[in-house]
Amino acid sequence: MKTNPGRFFEDYRMGEVIRHAVPRTVSGGERALYHALYPARGALYSSDEFARDSGLAASPLDDLIAFHTVFGKTVPDISLNAVANLGYAEGRWLLPVWPGDTIRSESEVIGLKENSNGKSGVVYVRTRGQNQRGEVVLDYVRWVMVKKARDVPAPEPVVPDLRKVVPAAELVVPAGLDFSRYDFGLAGEPHRWGDYAVGEKIDHVDGVTVEEAEHMLATRLWQNTAKVHFDATNREDGRRLIYGGHVISLARALSFNGLANAQMIVALNAGAHANPCFSGDTVRAWSEVLDRAETSAPGVGALRLRLVAVKQGAAPFALKGEDGKYQPEVLLDLDYWALVPL
């Protein structure tokens, strides 16, 4: 058989390392399309001059361009037959991605657990994205629920012990980054690292209604071939599921209003796609400041932020009910570290 139906839960083995096809050279084209798809306005990723004044050689590609590119490579091998992408942990951006870099991905299976219904199971993988020099630019863990195709015995369950937070001491600040001459006027807001208090919540005010066309462009742009995003017959309700990364980028872009100076994502502590998003939903976002840390880079601090995306009908700062479950309007709960000027 020449065609590839994709992997099912029973096809994975503990410790297996999967090299993903196909390497991709990224350019300013990805940046232009990213900024067209999302209201992304971060100054460091919009202006070479701003980036040079911040100690970098030029403007790197947005952190989430790197994430989506690395993630997209993994889909044919990890989540082509997924029911849902469940979560993330231990993510670190280790090097900037520059126009002209060639990105490839590989994943190691670090956990397997069949669901009690016997029809699906959860696969845990650690994915590394590398550039053309073999340098790791991004490293993260994710877990995904994958269908079973054959009635075979379940493997011995293995659930990895994952850290809830990337320690601030392990955050990697790009070489040369210096915010001591940071131009708050050009960045768009005056708020410094010291202006944010742990426990503070920020309503980002704005909203974006998701359209089918832009979602399909996004999944194709990042070469995400998961069937639930493309094939409307793959779900019983006949609806195409909006790619979770699309919601992440929308929420991150919306957070500019209140967090314009959270310039670089350097770690992904945890993440959950709490409820499905479909075309026609209007996405809004709010953030909570979870922690603060200083770095060794001049003028650079770090904020640990919870980014929550919700859809229409959500109560202010809605998250979980008394039962501990996410409210039905909550789409995304993302915990990350970002670099901010002191």
Side-chain angles (χ1 to χ4, degrees):
M1 189 168 94
K2 298 289 195 305
T3 56
N4 176 19
R7 291 179 176 228
F8 293 87
F9 177 74
E10 62 270 23
D11 297 322
Y12 296 92
R13 300 291 180 269
M14 279 294 301
E16 178 183 11
V17 176
I18 305 167
R19 297 178 69 211
H20 305 295
V22 174
R24 179 170 180 171
T25 301
V26 291
S27 71
E30 276 81 3
R31 189 203 308 273
L33 278 170
Y34 186 87
H35 288 200
L37 282 166
Y38 313 106
R41 292 173 284 166
L44 198 71
Y45 297 110
S46 298
S47 166
D48 284 340
E49 292 303 316
F50 192 97
R52 279 192 275 269
D53 286 343
S54 299
L56 303 181
S59 177
L61 295 181
D62 297 63
D63 309 304
L64 290 176
I65 290 179
F67 177 78
H68 294 323
T69 302
V70 171
F71 184 102
K73 301 289 95 188
T74 72
V75 170
D77 298 311
I78 305 299
S79 49
L80 190 67
N81 294 305
V83 179
N85 190 45
L86 299 177
Y88 310 94
E90 297 187 356
R92 290 195 305 158
W93 279 256
L94 301 172
L95 285 172
V97 172
W98 306 96
D101 280 351
T102 297
I103 305 301
R104 57 187 173 89
S105 304
E106 69 175 33
S107 298
E108 179 184 358
V109 180
I110 62 171
L112 292 169
K113 186 177 186 299
E114 184 173 280
N115 290 327
S116 58
N117 62 14
K119 297 180 180 179
S120 61
V122 179
V123 180
Y124 296 80
V125 295
R126 181 178 295 279
T127 295
R128 295 178 177 89
Q130 297 175 304
N131 62 22
Q132 66 274 17
R133 292 178 293 277
E135 300 165 327
V136 178
V137 299
L138 174 65
D139 180 313
Y140 66 92
V141 173
R142 74 160 168 145
W143 49 103
V144 58
M145 188 186 303
V146 181
K147 297 175 183 177
K148 286 186 69 175
R150 302 183 299 278
D151 186 15
V152 296
E156 189 70 24
V158 176
V159 177
D161 183 18
L162 300 171
R163 295 184 298 179
K164 293 183 178 180
V165 179
V166 175
E170 295 183 16
L171 302 179
V172 177
V173 178
L177 189 70
D178 182 345
F179 283 162
S180 59
R181 296 187 301 155
Y182 191 91
D183 191 323
F184 290 88
L186 290 180
E189 287 183 349
H191 315 304
R192 300 172 178 267
W193 177 84
D195 295 327
Y196 293 92
V198 174
E200 177 182 359
K201 293 181 179 179
I202 305 163
D203 180 356
H204 298 302
V205 179
D206 306 309
V208 174
T209 301
V210 177
E211 302 290 347
E212 194 78 68
E214 60 195 25
H215 161 244
M216 293 311 299
L217 178 59
T219 51
R220 291 179 179 129
L221 175 61
W222 313 123
Q223 299 176 336
N224 184 333
T225 56
K227 296 174 184 177
V228 290
H229 303 320
F230 278 90
D231 185 351
T233 68
N234 199 256
R235 287 175 52 94
E236 292 182 1
D237 60 9
R239 306 173 76 185
R240 288 189 290 203
L241 188 67
I242 300 299
Y243 164 44
H246 191 64
V247 177
I248 291 174
S249 281
L250 278 176
R252 163 71 170 157
L254 289 169
S255 73
F256 180 89
N257 192 344
L259 284 168
N261 295 316
Q263 290 290 353
M264 304 189 82
I265 299 176
V266 288
L268 177 58
N269 299 307
H273 297 289
N275 287 289
C277 181
F278 298 102
S279 176
D281 286 340
T282 296
V283 177
R284 301 184 186 278
W286 59 270
S287 292
E288 180 181 3
V289 180
L290 300 177
D291 200 0
R292 305 191 314 166
E294 297 186 26
T295 78
S296 59
V300 180
L303 291 179
R304 181 184 165 204
L305 300 163
R306 161 176 265 160
L307 175 62
V308 178
V310 299
K311 64 180 181 179
Q312 64 277 4
F317 301 114
L319 189 63
K320 296 181 179 180
E322 293 182 0
D323 59 0
K325 296 181 179 179
Y326 286 105
Q327 298 281 11
E329 296 83 14
V330 174
L331 302 173
L332 172 73
D333 183 6
L334 200 72
D335 180 337
Y336 69 102
W337 283 101
L339 300 182
V340 181
L342 293 174

